[in-house]
Amino acid sequence: MKPLATARLALPVVLAAACGLCGEPARAQFRVPIEHTLVGRLLLPPGSGSRGVEILARTEAGGREPRTTWVLFDEQGFFSQTLRDTLTSVTVTAGDEVHRVDAGDLPDADQGRRIDLGVIDLRDRLMRHHLTVRAADGKPGEIRVGMFSGPPPVGPWGEPVSLGSRQFPPIALGSDVEWLLPRRAQGVHFLVERPAGPGRGIEWRSGEQRLFGPYASAGLPAELILE
């Protein structure tokens, strides 16, 4: 019986030695990111819709490029976004940065893996501005409009940002649209995109774009004309 017992003990020893040669514990190689949910509420000046206000959650994971996730909120300002990577910052923008929480100031996740930012009150920090976009030839149509602090970002190969997403809903040309901006914003740009044809979907991505700006809060135009 002794030789058999010795053989049984030898197998764990060999496995342990093999794992030691890996240079990293086996459990670290198969670590699965833990999901957590970012929740909170924005308080905005009276009105309907996001009006150019965006919540950006920045996350990082070992070996991967940092990622920015757009967090949508409802008509009452409530938001809930599930994230898988490590949350490093949350920024609220409105043509410029108006609120930011960095990693060191983020609350810990609760037992339900929720990171609750509570109520973010921006009512006294934002001003309301009405803007109309018209076509020079007076023709009707649909557009998408994005508001940015500074020139809009570009892709890794220099391609323009696409406005064909839920963050930028279609707007009828000639309609009055309300935007929210910081009271002392600088370098505000409006990017207007028209679809390439009468259809939807990817045709927005290839549509014509026109950039307006920069503007300061004190000199915002009431009307933009598309040539």
Side-chain angles (χ1 to χ4, degrees):
M1 297 298 294
K2 283 187 177 180
L4 182 58
T6 301
R8 287 177 176 172
L9 290 172
L11 183 58
V13 173
V14 173
L15 290 177
C19 284
L21 294 175
C22 295
E24 183 180 0
R27 62 183 179 182
Q29 295 176 357
F30 301 99
R31 183 173 56 195
V32 177
I34 299 176
E35 286 190 351
H36 52 278
T37 303
L38 179 69
V39 300
R41 184 186 185 188
L42 293 183
L43 291 184
L44 302 176
S48 177
S50 62
R51 292 166 286 171
V53 177
E54 295 183 337
I55 305 173
L56 309 177
R58 188 174 178 84
T59 57
E60 293 182 357
R64 292 205 298 255
E65 290 292 325
R67 179 181 179 183
T68 299
T69 300
W70 273 262
V71 180
L72 300 179
F73 52 93
D74 63 19
E75 286 294 328
Q76 289 72 46
F78 290 101
F79 56 89
S80 177
Q81 178 72 43
T82 299
L83 305 167
R84 290 182 59 84
D85 298 332
T86 301
L87 182 64
T88 58
S89 68
V90 178
T91 305
V92 182
T93 66
D96 206 345
E97 183 177 303
V98 292
H99 183 80
R100 182 182 179 94
V101 184
D102 289 313
D105 298 318
L106 286 168
D108 295 329
D110 60 20
Q111 292 183 350
R113 302 301 304 171
R114 298 190 325 155
I115 299 176
D116 192 348
L117 297 183
V119 176
I120 302 172
D121 192 346
L122 301 176
R123 290 174 295 182
D124 292 337
R125 303 182 61 181
L126 297 174
M127 57 176 280
R128 303 163 69 180
H129 178 74
H130 287 259
L131 179 68
T132 301
V133 181
R134 304 184 189 278
D137 56 11
K139 292 182 179 180
E142 279 191 338
I143 56 174
R144 295 183 192 264
V145 183
M147 183 171 61
F148 299 88
S149 174
V154 297
W157 294 280
E159 68 273 19
V161 63
S162 172
L163 302 185
S165 66
R166 287 195 298 166
Q167 284 79 28
F168 308 101
I171 299 172
L173 276 168
S175 59
D176 178 81
V177 178
E178 182 179 84
W179 297 87
L180 297 177
L181 298 99
R183 298 185 180 278
R184 297 181 180 179
Q186 300 288 332
V188 176
H189 290 74
F190 292 96
L191 181 64
V192 181
E193 183 175 286
R194 304 182 76 172
R200 310 290 290 183
I202 61 172
E203 293 187 353
W204 279 100
R205 298 186 62 85
S206 59
E208 178 185 358
Q209 292 186 343
R210 173 79 185 276
L211 183 64
F212 296 88
Y215 305 108
S217 295
L220 290 168
E223 187 175 75
L224 300 176
I225 304 296
L226 287 177
E227 299 294 339

